[in-house]
Protein backbone atom coordinates (compact mmCIF):
# COMPACT_ATOMS: atom_id res chain seq x y z
CA UNK A 1 0.00 0.00 0.00
CA UNK A 2 1.45 3.38 -1.02
CA UNK A 3 1.91 6.36 1.29
CA UNK A 4 0.01 9.57 0.47
CA UNK A 5 1.37 11.60 3.40
CA UNK A 6 4.90 11.47 4.81
CA UNK A 7 6.23 13.51 7.73
CA UNK A 8 10.00 13.12 7.81
CA UNK A 9 12.07 14.18 10.83
CA UNK A 10 9.43 16.84 11.45
CA UNK A 11 9.92 19.64 13.96
CA UNK A 12 7.38 22.32 14.91
CA UNK A 13 7.62 24.96 17.60
CA UNK A 14 6.01 28.10 18.99
CA UNK A 15 8.75 30.50 19.96
CA UNK A 16 11.35 28.53 21.87
CA UNK A 17 8.96 25.71 22.81
CA UNK A 18 9.17 22.61 20.63
CA UNK A 19 5.87 20.85 19.98
CA UNK A 20 7.27 18.08 17.77
CA UNK A 21 10.87 17.04 17.25
CA UNK A 22 12.17 14.29 14.93
CA UNK A 23 8.60 13.12 14.24
CA UNK A 24 8.13 10.53 11.49
CA UNK A 25 4.70 9.50 10.19
CA UNK A 26 3.34 7.82 7.08
CA UNK A 27 -0.33 7.72 6.11
CA UNK A 28 -1.27 4.95 3.70
CA UNK A 29 -3.63 5.39 0.77
CA UNK A 30 -7.21 4.41 1.51
CA UNK A 31 -6.88 4.05 5.29
CA UNK A 32 -8.50 5.83 8.21
CA UNK A 33 -5.72 6.87 10.59
CA UNK A 34 -6.67 8.18 14.03
CA UNK A 35 -4.16 10.37 15.85
CA UNK A 36 -4.41 10.40 19.64
CA UNK A 37 -2.36 11.88 22.44
CA UNK A 38 -2.58 13.69 25.73
CA UNK A 39 -3.38 17.38 26.14
CA UNK A 40 -0.53 19.44 24.69
CA UNK A 41 0.89 16.56 22.65
CA UNK A 42 0.37 18.56 19.45
CA UNK A 43 -2.36 16.61 17.67
CA UNK A 44 -4.08 19.62 16.10
CA UNK A 45 -0.74 21.35 15.52
CA UNK A 46 0.38 18.32 13.50
CA UNK A 47 -2.79 18.38 11.41
CA UNK A 48 -2.47 22.11 10.80
CA UNK A 49 1.17 21.67 9.81
CA UNK A 50 0.31 18.93 7.32
CA UNK A 51 -2.26 21.12 5.55
CA UNK A 52 0.06 24.14 5.56
CA UNK A 53 -1.62 26.32 8.20
CA UNK A 54 1.33 26.11 10.61
CA UNK A 55 4.95 26.57 9.48
CA UNK A 56 7.41 23.80 10.24
CA UNK A 57 10.83 24.42 11.76
CA UNK A 58 12.60 21.24 10.70
CA UNK A 59 12.16 18.26 8.41
CA UNK A 60 9.61 17.97 5.63
CA UNK A 61 6.02 17.02 4.84
CA UNK A 62 5.11 15.38 1.54
CA UNK A 63 1.56 14.91 0.26
CA UNK A 64 1.16 12.81 -2.88
CA UNK A 65 4.96 13.00 -3.12
CA UNK A 66 4.96 16.80 -3.19
CA UNK A 67 6.00 19.36 -0.59
CA UNK A 68 4.01 22.58 -0.34
CA UNK A 69 7.23 24.43 0.53
CA UNK A 70 8.68 23.59 -2.89
CA UNK A 71 5.68 24.40 -5.08
CA UNK A 72 4.77 27.62 -6.82
CA UNK A 73 1.40 29.19 -6.00
CA UNK A 74 -0.45 27.53 -8.90
CA UNK A 75 0.87 24.04 -8.12
CA UNK A 76 0.24 24.56 -4.40
CA UNK A 77 -3.34 25.58 -5.13
CA UNK A 78 -3.86 22.46 -7.26
CA UNK A 79 -2.47 20.24 -4.49
CA UNK A 80 -4.72 21.82 -1.83
CA UNK A 81 -7.77 21.05 -3.96
CA UNK A 82 -7.03 17.35 -3.44
CA UNK A 83 -7.96 17.42 0.25
CA UNK A 84 -10.83 18.61 2.43
CA UNK A 85 -10.94 19.60 6.09
CA UNK A 86 -13.67 19.23 8.70
CA UNK A 87 -12.74 21.53 11.56
CA UNK A 88 -13.79 20.96 15.15
CA UNK A 89 -17.46 21.88 15.74
CA UNK A 90 -18.00 22.15 11.98
CA UNK A 91 -16.96 25.81 11.53
CA UNK A 92 -19.87 26.59 9.21
CA UNK A 93 -20.43 30.17 8.09
CA UNK A 94 -23.31 31.22 10.34
CA UNK A 95 -24.77 33.76 7.91
CA UNK A 96 -24.83 31.33 4.97
CA UNK A 97 -27.40 28.63 4.29
CA UNK A 98 -26.51 24.96 4.07
CA UNK A 99 -26.50 25.27 0.27
CA UNK A 100 -24.20 28.29 0.37
CA UNK A 101 -21.82 26.63 2.84
CA UNK A 102 -21.39 23.56 0.64
CA UNK A 103 -21.19 25.68 -2.51
CA UNK A 104 -18.53 27.95 -1.01
CA UNK A 105 -15.44 25.95 -2.09
CA UNK A 106 -16.96 25.37 -5.52
CA UNK A 107 -17.33 29.11 -6.01
CA UNK A 108 -14.01 29.92 -4.32
CA UNK A 109 -11.99 27.72 -6.65
CA UNK A 110 -14.02 28.82 -9.69
CA UNK A 111 -14.70 27.10 -12.97
CA UNK A 112 -18.18 25.80 -12.13
CA UNK A 113 -21.37 26.95 -13.80
CA UNK A 114 -24.39 27.77 -11.64
CA UNK A 115 -26.24 24.63 -12.72
CA UNK A 116 -23.16 22.51 -11.98
CA UNK A 117 -22.93 23.95 -8.48
CA UNK A 118 -26.60 23.18 -7.83
CA UNK A 119 -26.16 19.59 -9.01
CA UNK A 120 -22.99 19.06 -6.97
CA UNK A 121 -24.50 20.48 -3.79
CA UNK A 122 -27.54 18.21 -4.20
CA UNK A 123 -25.22 15.23 -4.69
CA UNK A 124 -23.17 16.03 -1.57
CA UNK A 125 -26.32 16.51 0.52
CA UNK A 126 -27.49 13.07 -0.55
CA UNK A 127 -24.05 11.60 0.14
CA UNK A 128 -24.13 12.71 3.80
CA UNK A 129 -27.74 11.69 4.35
CA UNK A 130 -29.43 15.11 4.31
CA UNK A 131 -32.66 16.02 2.52
CA UNK A 132 -32.97 18.51 -0.37
CA UNK A 133 -35.09 20.81 1.83
CA UNK A 134 -32.21 21.09 4.32
CA UNK A 135 -30.34 23.20 1.76
CA UNK A 136 -32.24 26.36 2.70
CA UNK A 137 -31.62 26.13 6.45
CA UNK A 138 -29.16 28.26 8.38
CA UNK A 139 -26.61 26.62 10.72
CA UNK A 140 -28.57 27.86 13.77
CA UNK A 141 -31.51 25.72 12.64
CA UNK A 142 -29.47 22.50 12.54
CA UNK A 143 -28.83 19.86 15.17
CA UNK A 144 -25.23 19.10 16.13
CA UNK A 145 -25.23 15.97 14.00
CA UNK A 146 -26.56 17.88 10.99
CA UNK A 147 -23.88 20.56 11.39
CA UNK A 148 -21.19 17.85 11.18
CA UNK A 149 -22.84 16.34 8.11
CA UNK A 150 -22.98 19.71 6.34
CA UNK A 151 -19.35 20.36 7.25
CA UNK A 152 -18.47 16.93 5.86
CA UNK A 153 -20.35 17.67 2.64
CA UNK A 154 -18.44 20.95 2.30
CA UNK A 155 -15.12 19.18 2.90
CA UNK A 156 -15.97 16.72 0.11
CA UNK A 157 -17.39 19.32 -2.30
CA UNK A 158 -14.34 19.19 -4.58
CA UNK A 159 -14.14 15.38 -4.51
CA UNK A 160 -11.28 15.36 -2.03
CA UNK A 161 -8.88 12.41 -2.05
CA UNK A 162 -7.79 13.04 1.55
CA UNK A 163 -10.10 14.09 4.36
CA UNK A 164 -8.74 15.70 7.53
CA UNK A 165 -11.01 15.63 10.59
CA UNK A 166 -10.39 17.45 13.88
CA UNK A 167 -12.46 15.85 16.68
CA UNK A 168 -15.37 15.00 14.34
CA UNK A 169 -17.66 13.59 17.06
CA UNK A 170 -16.91 16.30 19.64
CA UNK A 171 -20.13 17.74 21.08
CA UNK A 172 -22.36 14.96 19.72
CA UNK A 173 -24.53 12.67 21.81
CA UNK A 174 -23.66 8.94 21.60
CA UNK A 175 -26.34 8.16 19.01
CA UNK A 176 -25.38 11.05 16.72
CA UNK A 177 -21.69 10.17 17.15
CA UNK A 178 -22.32 6.54 16.19
CA UNK A 179 -24.35 7.65 13.16
CA UNK A 180 -21.51 9.93 12.04
CA UNK A 181 -18.96 7.11 12.47
CA UNK A 182 -21.09 4.82 10.32
CA UNK A 183 -21.49 7.53 7.67
CA UNK A 184 -17.75 8.23 7.60
CA UNK A 185 -16.89 4.56 7.22
CA UNK A 186 -19.48 4.14 4.44
CA UNK A 187 -18.26 7.17 2.45
CA UNK A 188 -14.64 6.11 2.89
CA UNK A 189 -15.41 2.63 1.59
CA UNK A 190 -17.53 3.92 -1.31
CA UNK A 191 -15.03 6.39 -2.75
CA UNK A 192 -11.70 5.16 -1.39
CA UNK A 193 -10.88 8.21 0.71
CA UNK A 194 -7.78 8.49 2.85
CA UNK A 195 -8.81 9.88 6.24
CA UNK A 196 -6.65 11.47 8.95
CA UNK A 197 -8.66 11.98 12.12
CA UNK A 198 -7.74 13.70 15.39
CA UNK A 199 -9.90 12.21 18.14
CA UNK A 200 -10.14 11.45 21.84
CA UNK A 201 -13.37 9.44 21.36
CA UNK A 202 -12.25 5.84 21.86
CA UNK A 203 -15.58 4.38 20.71
CA UNK A 204 -15.37 6.40 17.50
CA UNK A 205 -11.76 5.32 16.95
CA UNK A 206 -12.67 1.66 17.47
CA UNK A 207 -15.58 1.97 15.03
CA UNK A 208 -13.69 3.69 12.22
CA UNK A 209 -9.89 3.60 12.39
CA UNK A 210 -7.72 1.11 10.53
CA UNK A 211 -4.66 2.28 12.44
CA UNK A 212 -3.96 4.52 15.43
CA UNK A 213 -0.93 6.79 15.95
CA UNK A 214 -0.09 7.84 19.51
CA UNK A 215 1.74 11.15 19.98
CA UNK A 216 3.96 11.50 23.03
CA UNK A 217 7.13 13.43 23.75
CA UNK A 218 6.95 15.29 20.45
CA UNK A 219 7.09 12.08 18.39
CA UNK A 220 4.93 9.20 17.23
CA UNK A 221 5.27 6.80 20.15
CA UNK A 222 3.45 3.95 18.41
CA UNK A 223 1.38 3.32 15.31
CA UNK A 224 -0.66 0.31 14.29
CA UNK A 225 -4.02 -1.41 14.79
CA UNK A 226 -5.88 -0.28 17.91
CA UNK A 227 -5.46 -3.56 19.78
CA UNK A 228 -1.68 -3.52 19.19
CA UNK A 229 -1.20 0.11 20.15
CA UNK A 230 -3.21 -0.43 23.34
CA UNK A 231 -0.52 -2.84 24.60
CA UNK A 232 2.29 -0.23 24.56
CA UNK A 233 3.79 0.38 27.98
CA UNK A 234 3.27 4.12 28.39
CA UNK A 235 1.38 6.17 31.03
CA UNK A 236 -0.88 7.89 28.50
CA UNK A 237 -1.67 4.61 26.73
CA UNK A 238 -2.54 2.94 30.03
CA UNK A 239 -4.82 5.81 31.10
CA UNK A 240 -6.53 6.21 27.72
CA UNK A 241 -6.96 2.61 26.64
CA UNK A 242 -7.16 0.76 29.95
CA UNK A 243 -9.52 2.80 32.09
CA UNK A 244 -12.92 1.26 32.76
CA UNK A 245 -14.43 2.78 29.59
CA UNK A 246 -11.41 1.86 27.49
CA UNK A 247 -11.47 -1.75 28.62
CA UNK A 248 -15.13 -2.04 27.61
CA UNK A 249 -14.36 -0.69 24.14
CA UNK A 250 -11.38 -3.03 23.71
CA UNK A 251 -13.41 -6.02 24.88
CA UNK A 252 -16.17 -5.14 22.43
CA UNK A 253 -13.59 -4.88 19.65
CA UNK A 254 -12.16 -8.29 20.56
CA UNK A 255 -15.64 -9.82 20.55
CA UNK A 256 -16.34 -8.41 17.08
CA UNK A 257 -13.01 -9.78 15.82
CA UNK A 258 -13.79 -13.22 17.23
CA UNK A 259 -17.26 -13.38 15.63
CA UNK A 260 -17.11 -15.50 12.45
Amino acid sequence: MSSVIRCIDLGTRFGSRWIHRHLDLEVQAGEILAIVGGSGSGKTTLLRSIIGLNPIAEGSIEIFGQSLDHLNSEAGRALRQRWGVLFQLGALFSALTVFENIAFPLREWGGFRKEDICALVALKLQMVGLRPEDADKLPAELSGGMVKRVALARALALDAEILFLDEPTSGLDPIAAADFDQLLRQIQADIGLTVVMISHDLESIAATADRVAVLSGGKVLSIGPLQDVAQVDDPYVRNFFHGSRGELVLQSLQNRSATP
Side-chain angles (χ1 to χ4, degrees), residues 8-37:
I8 306 164
D9 201 30
L10 183 67
T12 62
R13 66 183 181 186
F14 295 126
S16 61
R17 184 170 72 92
W18 288 93
I19 309 301
H20 308 114
R21 200 83 189 268
H22 306 303
L23 182 150
D24 294 301
L25 175 68
E26 291 195 18
V27 182
Q28 298 169 352
E31 75 169 335
I32 297 180
L33 175 71
I35 299 177
V36 304

Side-chain angles (χ1 to χ4, degrees), residues 67-196:
S67 171
L68 283 173
D69 291 338
H70 299 147
L71 299 177
N72 60 35
S73 58
E74 184 177 349
R77 180 184 176 96
L79 182 59
R80 288 185 176 91
Q81 285 184 265
R82 299 178 69 181
W83 68 69
V85 184
L86 194 161
F87 294 99
Q88 192 172 359
L89 304 180
L92 298 181
F93 298 111
S94 60
L96 301 184
T97 65
V98 166
F99 179 96
E100 291 164 338
N101 266 281
I102 299 172
F104 185 85
L106 300 170
R107 290 170 172 156
E108 182 74 8
W109 294 108
F112 293 95
R113 298 176 302 171
K114 183 177 180 180
E115 53 267 36
D116 293 333
I117 291 175
C118 291
L120 286 168
V121 170
L123 177 64
K124 301 308 176 183
L125 281 171
Q126 183 180 24
M127 181 185 293
V128 300
L130 293 175
R131 302 167 301 174
E133 54 265 35
D134 293 325
D136 294 327
K137 295 179 180 177
L138 290 168
E141 301 175 84
L142 306 177
S143 67
M146 291 176 71
V147 167
K148 296 296 180 79
R149 287 171 184 256
V150 174
L152 179 60
R154 184 178 63 184
L156 297 174
L158 291 166
D159 295 330
E161 298 168 64
I162 304 175
L163 180 63
F164 296 98
L165 309 174
D166 189 4
E167 300 285 4
T169 57
S170 176
L172 299 182
D173 64 72
I175 295 175
D179 286 345
F180 186 89
D181 291 338
Q182 183 178 14
L183 173 66
L184 175 63
R185 194 79 216 192
Q186 184 63 55
I187 290 175
Q188 187 268 343
D190 287 346
I191 63 179
L193 272 174
T194 300
V195 179
V196 179

Side-chain angles (χ1 to χ4, degrees), residues 40-60:
S41 61
K43 302 182 295 296
T44 297
T45 298
L46 176 59
L47 186 148
R48 290 173 61 86
S49 297
I50 292 173
I51 63 177
L53 294 181
N54 282 347
I56 63 175
E58 294 179 346
S60 62

